[in-house]
Amino acid sequence: MVILQLFNRVWESGTLPLAWKHSVVIPIGKPGKDKSEVTSYRPIALTSNMCKVMERMVTDRLTYIVESRSMISPSQSGFRRGRTTMDPVLCLENIVRKAQANKEMVDAILFDVEKAYDMLWRDGLLIKLESMGIGGRMFNWVLDFLKDRTMEVRVGATHSRVYPTENGVPQGSVCSPLLFSVMINDIFSEVDASLGRSLYADDGAFWVKGRNGTFAEKKLQAAVSTVEKWGNKWGFRFSVEKTQVICFSRKSENPTLRIVLYGQMVKQVQVIRFLGVWMDSKLTFGEHIQRGVMRCKKAINVMRCLAGSSWGASMKSLKQMYIAIIRSALDYACIAYGSAAKSHLTKCDVIQAQAIRLCCGAFKTSSVAALQVEVGELPLYLRRMQLSMLYWTNLQGHKQDHPTKSVLEPCWEHGRTKLNSFGWVGDSSARELGISNLTHSCTVPLPATPPWLFPMPTIDLEIIKKSKQCNEFGGMNSLIQQYISDKYNGSIQIFTDGSKDPDTGRTGAAVHIPQFNVSIIKRTSDHLAVFTVELLAILLALWWIEEGRSSRCIICSDSMAALISISNGKSTCRPDLVYEVCLK
C-alpha cells in the first residue's frame, strides 16, 4: 500500500526521485573481441528496481494507448505482442519465391541504426509523443524520466565518477523499447509505397521486385536517400559497415548494385543475415542450415561427454539438453527454411537422430522411428508443420494490416509452381488439418475500457489453505461450507464448472444455483482448452447475476488458473475472456 501511494504521488506530480534516474554500467566483454579496445565491451546498465516496477505500469498504459489507436506502423514487428522475427522474414522469403516463379529478381537492402538507444534525440521523442496526442501526466512522466539522468561505470569494486547522460533512452529500462519504437515509427513515411519494407526494432529492410535491374536499383537508392534524410532530421545515423545489399535471383551472375549511403558505397554480398536467418542469393537456405548443424554438433559433443551406458546423465536430463540447445536451434526459422531442398533438410534429420540416440543410449543400427517414439519426439517434418500451423493460427487472430497476412493471399504464382513455402502451403495445410473453418480468437485483444479502469472483482483464495487443512484432518466439505457460511452469510452460492472429454474433444460449461434449484448447461465448441471452458462457465454465472436475480452472490470455481488470471486482470491464454469477466 505504501508503494502504491508512492507511485501515485510520483504520477500526480510528474517528478521521479533522482535515485531512480541513476544507472550503474557494467562492461561485459564481447566473445572473440580484443579486450584492449573499448568497442569490445557491451555496457549493461543496472537501474532502480522500484523504478522498473512503475515503468512496467506506465509501459502497459502507453502500449494500450498506441495499440488501441493503431499509432504504431504495421511494418514494425519489434517489441509488440503477437509479433515475432518471422513476420519480416516470411514477407521477404515469400516475395523472393514469387520472383523466382516469375523469373524475376529481388533487390534488398538491410540497414542498422548506429547506437540506436544511446543516440536517441530526447526532445525529438517528446515532439513525437505530443504529435501523437499523448499528453497530460503520461507526457510529464516521460519528460521527467528522460531528463537529469546520470551514470557511473563499475569494474569489480571500483566505481568511476558520475557522468550526466544527455541523449538516448536508458539501457535496461522497461519502457525504453516502446519509446524507441515511437521515435522510429515514421521512418518509412516518405518512402515509395510500392517498395516492400520491414522493421524490427532498429533493424530495417527494403526490397523491390522486378526484371529491370536498373529501375529497381534507382527505386532502392531513392528509398535509401529518403531514409538518410529522415535520419538527419531526427538525429539518427545508419551504420554503413552493417548495411548490406543483396540481389536474389536464379541467374548465374547477378547484376552489381551501386547503392550509396552517406557518400559511401554499400557492400553487396551473396549471403546476408536477416534477423538471425542466413539467406543466400538463390534462397536455398543451405548456409543457414549448415551453420545451424555445426552449432548443434558442438552440443552433441557435450551430450556425448555426459552420456554413458552405466554412468552419466539420465535420459530425461539428456532430452532436456536436446530440447533446450539442439531442437530450439532447429526450430528457429523452420517455417521459412522448410521450403529448402530435401538434401538440405536431411542434414537436420541426421542431427536429430544422433541426439535422440544419445538420449536413449541406443545402438547406431536402432530404428530412428522407434527412438522418436521412445523419446516422445516428432519427426522434424511434422515438427515444422506443427510450428507452421501455430503461426498460421496466430495470423488469423490479427488485423488485416498485419504484413504477413499478404503472404497467404491467393496469387497466380501459386498455380505456376509447386513449393513447400509457407505462402504456398499454409492455407492448404490448415484445410487438411480441419482448422481453417474454425473461429479464431483475437491474438492481441484490446478492451474498449482501459485495463487500469477495470472494476476488479474480489478473488478469495484463502479457502485453498482451508482445503489443505481439510485434507490433513478430514471433513473437507463441511469445513469449506462453514467457511463460506461464516464469511459470506446471506450470499447466494453459485457453483461453476467446465469439462472436456479427452477422447472426443467435446466440451461444456455448467452453472448450478442450489438455493433456486437452477442449473444452466451449455454445450461449447469442440477441442477448447479446459481453462477456456472454466472462464465461459464463470461468464454464464455473471450473465445470470446481471439479470437482477440477486445483488449478493458468490461464485465458486475449482479452476485455480482461471481465478488467478482474473485476479491479475491479464492472461497469456484467452485474455479476451479474462477482460470480459473483469468488466462484468
Side-chain angles (χ1 to χ4, degrees), residues 3-300:
I3 296 177
L4 180 59
Q5 291 175 354
L6 172 62
F7 288 169
N8 287 333
R9 182 80 175 270
V10 171
W11 181 252
E12 292 170 0
S13 64
T15 304
L16 283 72
L18 291 177
W20 288 10
K21 296 188 283 186
H22 180 71
S23 302
V24 178
V25 177
I26 300 177
I28 304 296
K30 297 179 181 179
K33 299 291 184 178
D34 184 6
K35 301 301 181 181
S36 62
E37 297 290 335
V38 177
T39 56
S40 300
Y41 294 86
R42 181 175 286 107
I44 304 299
L46 305 180
T47 58
S48 168
N49 289 333
M50 189 70 70
C51 184
K52 286 183 178 180
V53 174
M54 188 171 188
E55 284 181 57
R56 172 58 61 191
M57 300 169 67
V58 174
T59 301
D60 289 345
R61 293 192 179 193
L62 186 56
T63 300
Y64 174 83
I65 293 172
V66 297
E67 291 289 357
S68 61
R69 300 178 185 176
S70 300
M71 293 179 175
I72 300 297
S73 171
S75 58
Q76 174 64 272
S77 298
F79 311 117
R80 302 180 70 183
R81 286 180 55 196
R83 299 291 192 98
T84 68
T85 54
M86 286 301 99
D87 298 336
V89 168
L90 287 176
C91 287
L92 179 57
E93 186 265 348
N94 182 70
I95 201 67
V96 173
R97 293 302 185 197
K98 288 181 179 180
Q100 291 175 342
N102 199 25
K103 297 182 180 180
E104 296 177 323
M105 65 181 66
V106 174
D107 295 339
I109 182 170
L110 276 64
F111 57 88
D112 180 81
V113 181
E114 196 173 78
K115 298 181 180 179
Y117 281 73
D118 298 334
M119 300 305 296
L120 183 141
W121 180 31
R122 294 177 180 175
D123 291 339
L125 173 60
L126 297 174
I127 294 173
K128 294 282 184 73
L129 289 173
E130 190 173 10
S131 65
M132 297 170 72
I134 298 172
R137 291 174 176 172
M138 177 68 73
F139 183 87
N140 293 335
W141 190 94
V142 175
L143 172 63
D144 194 76
F145 175 77
L146 294 176
K147 73 177 184 179
D148 299 331
R149 299 200 68 92
T150 58
M151 59 162 286
E152 62 178 316
V153 180
R154 188 184 77 189
V155 178
T158 305
H159 292 252
S160 71
R161 68 182 182 89
V162 177
Y163 296 89
T165 56
E166 299 177 355
N167 286 324
V169 289
Q171 290 199 8
S173 170
V174 177
C175 59
S176 291
L178 178 58
L179 295 177
F180 180 82
S181 296
V182 170
M183 184 63 183
I184 205 173
N185 187 52
D186 61 343
I187 186 174
F188 298 145
S189 57
E190 301 296 330
V191 176
D192 187 352
S194 63
L195 268 73
R197 77 281 306 275
S198 75
L199 195 63
Y200 195 91
D202 60 336
D203 293 320
F206 290 119
W207 56 82
V208 57
K209 178 170 72 87
R211 294 186 180 181
N212 190 328
T214 304
F215 177 72
E217 181 182 325
K218 289 182 178 179
K219 293 191 70 174
L220 209 59
Q221 179 62 64
V224 171
S225 300
T226 302
V227 171
E228 183 181 334
K229 292 178 181 178
W230 177 91
N232 294 333
K233 178 181 178 181
W234 294 104
F236 284 109
R237 181 175 177 82
F238 301 97
S239 174
V240 180
E241 294 180 356
K242 295 182 179 180
T243 300
Q244 296 177 332
V245 65
I246 186 173
C247 178
F248 294 100
S249 76
R250 286 182 172 169
K251 296 181 179 180
S252 56
E253 292 185 7
N254 290 330
T256 301
L257 300 175
R258 296 176 177 85
I259 305 298
V260 178
L261 177 63
Y262 298 121
Q264 302 181 44
M265 193 73 68
V266 176
K267 182 181 179 182
Q268 183 174 354
V269 295
Q270 295 299 314
V271 180
I272 201 166
R273 189 184 185 189
F274 183 39
L275 298 176
V277 182
W278 294 91
M279 295 182 168
D280 57 275
S281 59
K282 292 182 172 52
L283 205 62
T284 63
F285 288 109
E287 180 75 13
H288 178 81
I289 292 176
Q290 184 61 32
R291 287 175 177 269
V293 167
M294 294 301 295
R295 186 168 62 175
C296 292
K297 285 183 177 179
K298 296 180 181 178
I300 286 180

Side-chain angles (χ1 to χ4, degrees), residues 406-423:
S406 61
V407 171
L408 297 172
E409 292 178 356
C411 61
W412 68 271
E413 286 92 350
H414 291 172
R416 182 168 184 173
T417 182
K418 291 185 178 180
L419 292 172
N420 198 33
S421 177
F422 179 76

